[in-house]
Amino acid sequence: MPSSATTEPTVVRVPTARGAANGRNVGRILFKTLYRTKIHGAANVPHRGRLIVAANHLGFLDGPLLFSASPRPLHLVAKSELFEPPFDKLLNGVGQIPLDYESADRDTVKVALKLLEDGRALGIFPEAHRGRGDFGRIRHGVAYLHSRTNAPIVPTAIFGTRHTGMTKNQLPKARSELTVVFGEPFSVPALGDIDSRATMAAMGESIRQRLADHVVRSAAECGVDLPSDVPSDKTGGTDG
């Protein structure tokens, strides 16, 4: 006997654009006060339309810095552990998105896709965890989002949020120099079935190489360096 129950459609709740804009404005004031922030290539970031801003990840301040330095409001994908009291309300209020990196977080993927489909800008750290920031390895979530939305990718290099010998949660000294370099948007063609793991892997590697090249080029042009080590935690372990 057929069931009379009906399946309710999934409602994808997306953060507000106003929250992201307000949070960016506050962040700019804080970084201007606490650090010497240099932003290069802002003109490379399109003012309208769907966009993926993909940045390297080396220090604790990367997320707030990228969010504040962006020429347009960003909805930043951040690890779910950060969305705990008292920071959960703040992060949600400024339009950020929690992601569980250790599982297939389908809800977050749906939110990210909806934001891009609505013509907004999504910030993401393809390396997932804080490391050297050289894009030696990335996860292929950025390739998946790119393949489904055709959103251009802006390669972004961050320097100064962590130096060699600093722990993963240590902050740079006040008034030290932080640098963000936005590169020219690019797209990567899908050479095959986008539902194929091989195609996603190939796209991911192409994206990784473009991102890594941008970091190397930016370091040379700005005269800055990445840390030479992987950050340790306070107990001597490393950030996985």
Side-chain angles (χ1 to χ4, degrees):
M1 180 177 178
S3 172
S4 60
T6 58
T7 302
E8 294 292 332
T10 301
V11 177
V12 178
R13 300 186 183 279
V14 299
T16 66
R18 178 178 295 181
N22 291 340
R24 180 188 61 153
N25 293 337
V26 173
R28 284 182 169 180
I29 295 172
L30 290 176
F31 275 100
K32 184 177 181 180
T33 302
L34 298 174
Y35 295 99
R36 292 182 294 117
T37 305
K38 295 187 176 182
I39 303 172
H40 302 272
N44 289 324
V45 181
H47 292 295
R48 295 181 180 84
R50 59 186 64 177
L51 191 69
I52 298 172
V53 178
N56 60 333
H57 202 10
L58 50 142
F60 182 79
L61 284 183
D62 292 343
L65 176 61
L66 177 62
F67 176 70
S68 303
S70 174
R72 61 184 284 190
L74 273 185
H75 296 282
L76 196 68
V77 178
K79 63 180 182 178
S80 55
E81 289 91 338
L82 296 174
F83 288 75
E84 298 289 342
F87 300 112
D88 53 338
K89 291 183 179 180
L90 171 63
L91 293 173
N92 287 319
V94 296
Q96 307 312 289
I97 312 166
L99 173 66
D100 184 352
Y101 282 112
E102 306 309 324
S103 68
D105 197 336
R106 293 183 176 84
D107 289 340
T108 294
V109 172
K110 290 177 182 177
V111 172
L113 289 172
K114 185 65 170 61
L115 287 169
L116 293 172
E117 290 165 1
D118 287 349
R120 299 200 221 168
L122 186 73
I124 189 170
F125 294 102
E127 294 169 299
H129 298 289
R130 281 161 264 172
R132 289 202 59 230
D134 58 358
F135 285 118
R137 295 175 61 186
I138 68 170
R139 298 192 178 186
H140 293 160
V142 63
Y144 179 86
L145 295 173
H146 179 58
S147 70
R148 263 59 183 181
T149 64
N150 292 317
I153 299 171
V154 171
T156 306
I158 294 175
F159 303 94
T161 54
R162 189 179 68 82
H163 300 286
T164 302
M166 289 174 59
T167 64
K168 67 178 184 180
N169 293 319
Q170 191 174 351
L171 300 180
K173 294 180 180 179
R175 303 307 300 162
S176 61
E177 185 174 293
L178 308 180
T179 303
V180 183
V181 186
F182 297 102
E184 295 184 3
F186 69 88
S187 295
V188 172
L191 303 178
D193 181 2
I194 61 173
D195 291 322
S196 162
R197 289 186 178 182
T199 299
M200 281 296 100
M203 287 187 70
E205 176 55 26
S206 295
I207 291 170
R208 187 202 67 78
Q209 191 61 61
R210 295 285 291 268
L211 297 176
D213 290 345
H214 174 67
V215 169
V216 171
R217 186 167 53 250
S218 298
E221 292 175 353
C222 297
V224 291
D225 295 307
L226 290 172
S228 62
D229 60 352
V230 175
S232 63
D233 58 29
K234 293 182 178 180
T235 59
T238 57
D239 186 24

